Amino acid sequence: MDKQIRFVDLKYLDLLGGLHHLTIPIDNFALKRPFGIDGSSLAGFSSRKDSDLVVIADPKTRSVDPFFEEPTLSFFANIYHPDGSRFEADPRAIIEKAKKKARAYGRPYFQVELEFYIFRRLSVEHWPGGYSVAFESDDSASYHSPLPNDRFSRIRDRISQVLSRLGIPIRYHHHELGPGQQEIELELVPLDRIGDVITLARYVIKNVCATEGLKASFLAKPLSGAPGSGLHIHHLIRKKGSIFGRKRLTRIGRYYLGGLLTHAPA
């Protein structure tokens, strides 16, 4: 263990993809040691009658968190029942099950495009009839705007550098169509990494913007009359090439697309 490290941060997700964390002094940490969490306080997890859960660090996800003031080692954690069995609603457990099912067809990969807005100020209020968004932005650039109109190029450069240090490869970044809207496209990664990669990328984007006094928003449609933001995910399953075909969609590719359409409402 690195001598200069003072803390260990365990990151985990609720069923809706919300990121949570637990910070432990380095002297009290061991890789296989479980740490208790309250499942009833997390979206989509246990009822109060069955709320005791534990998290255990996944050693393959080790990195140094770039945003903590004290040197802090970071891991994604897997969620378990106290008896040692995996917690079924843990998103990382769900990905593991999907990977096992996909083995019969090939090796699945995904490539992600992250779209988001950067605001000088942003507040969201929940009303009985919906939400209201108040924002402040002095950005008027548009799709692929050059410098000096692209005011956030330096911020995206910094985000990309942090992501690269965390082992997340960047394909490119640019200003999107909306005022203050950005896009960072990542490289292709295997299925078992995609959840961690998206979560870390959003974490880095929000924290880099915060250090600049800015707000990053992944709301699907924060501004009326301006383009919405998408999370575009490219799918590839390799088995001596793509099982989806090249010039024409294969039979299994049509089944795959039908499955996506069937489960999209969920």
Side-chain angles (χ1 to χ4, degrees):
M1 199 67 72
D2 306 41
K3 290 183 179 179
Q4 72 271 24
I5 295 294
R6 298 288 180 265
F7 293 93
V8 173
D9 198 59
L10 299 184
K11 296 176 172 63
Y12 63 95
L13 297 173
D14 62 32
L15 189 58
L16 301 183
L19 181 63
H20 305 267
H21 78 120
L22 176 70
T23 307
I24 304 132
I26 188 65
D27 295 338
N28 198 31
F29 175 77
L31 268 177
K32 295 183 179 181
R33 180 176 178 180
F35 294 89
I37 62 172
D38 176 15
S40 67
S41 299
L42 300 162
F45 279 7
S46 307
S47 66
R48 292 196 178 277
K49 290 185 289 185
D50 184 28
S51 62
D52 291 338
L53 298 170
V54 298
V55 292
I56 300 177
D58 180 348
K60 301 188 299 294
T61 63
R62 167 180 169 150
S63 64
V64 175
D65 193 297
F67 303 109
F68 277 71
E69 186 174 337
E70 295 290 336
T72 300
L73 202 59
S74 174
F75 295 92
F76 278 104
N78 293 321
I79 306 175
Y80 295 83
H81 291 287
D83 64 6
S85 60
R86 285 303 298 271
F87 179 54
E88 303 83 353
D90 177 5
R92 303 188 89 241
I94 294 170
I95 280 187
E96 288 171 12
K97 288 172 66 177
K99 184 180 178 182
K100 288 177 182 177
K101 287 192 173 185
R103 283 176 185 164
Y105 302 98
R107 299 185 63 191
Y109 297 84
F110 297 91
Q111 183 180 348
V112 178
E113 300 175 25
L114 291 157
E115 293 182 351
F116 57 98
Y117 276 84
I118 296 178
F119 298 109
R120 298 288 172 192
R121 182 183 61 84
L122 173 70
S123 62
V124 181
E125 292 189 59
H126 187 197
W127 298 90
Y131 294 85
S132 64
V133 177
F135 73 96
E136 178 183 319
S137 175
D138 55 2
D139 177 75
S140 58
S142 59
Y143 186 70
H144 285 193
S145 286
L147 298 174
N149 295 335
D150 182 2
R151 309 175 57 104
F152 296 116
S153 179
R154 179 182 62 83
I155 304 294
R156 297 196 309 273
D157 283 345
R158 188 178 163 205
I159 291 168
S160 299
Q161 289 167 352
V162 174
L163 289 173
S164 295
R165 290 200 298 271
L166 293 173
I168 299 176
I170 306 299
R171 191 175 185 195
Y172 54 68
H173 66 71
H174 60 84
H175 199 289
E176 256 296 342
L177 182 59
Q181 190 181 33
Q182 322 295 317
E183 179 175 316
I184 296 179
E185 184 164 330
L186 310 181
E187 290 285 10
L188 204 67
V189 296
L191 168 62
D192 52 2
R193 287 198 66 207
I194 189 63
D196 295 347
V197 161
I198 293 174
T199 302
L200 264 184
R202 286 167 55 99
Y203 177 74
V204 168
I205 289 167
K206 288 184 176 182
N207 276 280
V208 169
C209 287
T211 62
E212 301 277 346
L214 302 167
K215 291 277 190 181
S217 172
F218 291 89
L219 288 169
K221 184 75 170 175
L223 305 180
S224 176
S229 293
L231 176 64
H232 303 143
I233 302 178
H234 304 262
H235 299 235
L236 170 65
I237 299 180
R238 282 180 177 157
K239 190 173 186 179
K240 297 180 180 179
S242 171
I243 69 169
F244 301 140
R246 293 183 62 117
K247 295 183 179 179
R248 177 178 292 182
L249 194 62
T250 62
R251 184 165 180 254
I252 196 168
R254 293 196 295 273
Y255 281 133
Y256 187 94
L257 182 57
L260 292 176
L261 294 172
T262 299
H263 294 287

